[in-house]
Amino acid sequence: MLRRALGPAVLLIVMAVFGTYAVLGPNGARAYGDIKRQLTKRDVELAALKQKRAEWQNRVNLLDPKKADPDMVDELVRKKLNVAHPDDVILPMQP
């Protein structure tokens, strides 16, 4: 009689282990809220990075050799070469 009960008992233990893992494991039902919070946080970071990328893309487009923006070129030349006329007024801009 003990041998006949051994198979279902092992099966029941295995099912209990997998069931517990499905609920309490790192990808289980209880971890869903934490995963949702992480996703929201990453979406905010992604939006900030996309905005920063758009700003950099705009600067790159302004420096295109075929149609460079004269003000942007002048700003970069003065910044890199540290060149200014004595009568120039330099106003630092916050990025």
Side-chain angles (χ1 to χ4, degrees), residues 12-75:
L12 186 61
I13 291 171
V14 169
M15 286 176 47
V17 168
F18 281 119
T20 304
Y21 187 77
V23 173
L24 301 176
N27 294 327
R30 292 194 62 197
Y32 180 74
D34 187 39
I35 292 170
K36 198 76 159 153
R37 282 189 295 278
Q38 287 178 359
L39 181 63
T40 303
K41 180 181 172 185
R42 298 291 162 88
D43 285 341
V44 170
E45 291 175 9
L46 178 63
L49 288 173
K50 282 185 177 182
Q51 180 182 3
K52 191 71 169 174
R53 183 180 187 272
E55 291 172 7
W56 281 103
Q57 187 64 43
N58 184 39
R59 288 182 67 88
V60 167
N61 290 339
L62 290 174
L63 290 173
D64 183 19
K66 296 177 184 171
K67 54 183 186 326
D69 181 41
D71 290 333
M72 179 65 76
V73 172
D74 186 52
E75 174 189 339

